[in-house]
Amino acid sequence: GDDWQRFANLRLLYTFQWTYPGKKLLFMGDELAQPWEWDHRGQLPWHLLGDPRHGGVRQLVADLNRLYREHGALHRRDFDGRGFQWLRWDDADNSTLSFVRRADDDLAVVVLNFTPVPRPGYRLGVPRPGAWQETLNSDSRFYGGSDLGNAGVLEAEPVPCMHQPWSITVTLPPLAGLLLTQARGFRPTA
């Protein structure tokens, strides 16, 4: 693909890697989106950060690290089947994956669009009622993306979807991943 697609694919990969179970590992300089392999005989190409696309990938990795620390759902049950649930793994028509990460009362819903096609009106199953917020969008302008997404809070509807009792309608940006969390102040009833 072109430069836009290469950077979007890298942001999508990092979003998938950080939200999927398992420990995280990057090779030296990968957070800078350097276009060549790191050479131990030289320095990291810090000059690349002058390009907003490279700086955006670095900011995305920093934000993913922060969210990984803050949301126990993303790390507490990495090796426990109760910490992960597929929502859709078989959506070949749209080339998307979606899943839930959980730990105690902490939930995170992740949806990933592996095509350069935006998907407005995508119905996504969620395990709880209430307000859900787009906590991370790898297509954000802050990361060098096109800034297509879901501003504000999305209210779950009692419409079953993806084996979940509730659902929300989201706009999936092209070649991007979304992390949705329960809006602050929510207290589960069960």
Side-chain angles (χ1 to χ4, degrees), residues 3 7 10 28-38 43-59:
D3 272 352
F7 279 94
L10 183 60
M28 182 71 76
D30 283 351
E31 72 277 12
L32 306 179
Q34 63 185 22
W36 54 83
E37 187 175 335
W38 177 65
Q43 295 184 22
L44 288 177
W46 296 107
H47 67 278
L48 292 176
L49 294 178
D51 181 330
R53 297 170 303 177
H54 292 273
V57 171
R58 180 175 179 240
Q59 185 61 52

Side-chain angles (χ1 to χ4, degrees), residues 10-161:
L10 183 60
R11 293 189 309 265
L12 174 59
L13 170 69
Y14 287 165
T15 303
F16 184 34
Q17 182 179 355
W18 257 253
T19 58
Y20 197 74
K23 297 306 169 198
K24 316 309 170 200
L25 178 64
L26 285 185
F27 195 65
M28 182 71 76
D30 283 351
E31 72 277 12
L32 306 179
Q34 63 185 22
W36 54 83
E37 187 175 335
W38 177 65
D39 182 356
H40 71 279
R41 294 171 298 212
Q43 295 184 22
L44 288 177
W46 296 107
H47 67 278
L48 292 176
L49 294 178
D51 181 330
R53 297 170 303 177
H54 292 273
V57 171
R58 180 175 179 240
Q59 185 61 52
L60 174 67
V61 171
D63 288 349
L64 285 167
N65 282 332
R66 180 182 52 79
L67 290 168
Y68 186 78
R69 266 191 331 268
E70 290 175 1
H71 290 278
L74 296 177
H75 66 268
R76 272 195 222 132
R77 290 189 174 162
D78 263 354
F79 302 104
D80 181 343
R82 295 172 295 167
F84 179 86
Q85 177 186 6
W86 282 112
L87 292 172
R88 286 291 307 265
W89 53 267
D90 59 350
D91 189 10
D93 291 339
N94 293 306
S95 294
T96 67
L97 290 176
S98 53
F99 52 88
V100 177
R101 296 293 311 271
R102 62 180 84 227
D104 306 317
D105 287 336
D106 193 15
L107 289 177
V109 173
V110 178
V111 59
L112 307 154
N113 180 6
F114 290 92
T115 69
V117 178
R119 305 224 177 267
Y122 188 87
R123 186 154 295 275
L124 179 67
V126 293
R128 287 187 190 150
W132 290 80
Q133 62 189 17
E134 186 179 84
T135 305
L136 182 122
N137 176 348
S138 70
D139 191 50
S140 167
R141 71 181 179 278
F142 299 112
Y143 308 135
S146 60
D147 217 23
L148 182 64
N150 307 275
V153 175
L154 304 163
E155 193 67 34
E157 302 172 287
V159 177
C161 180

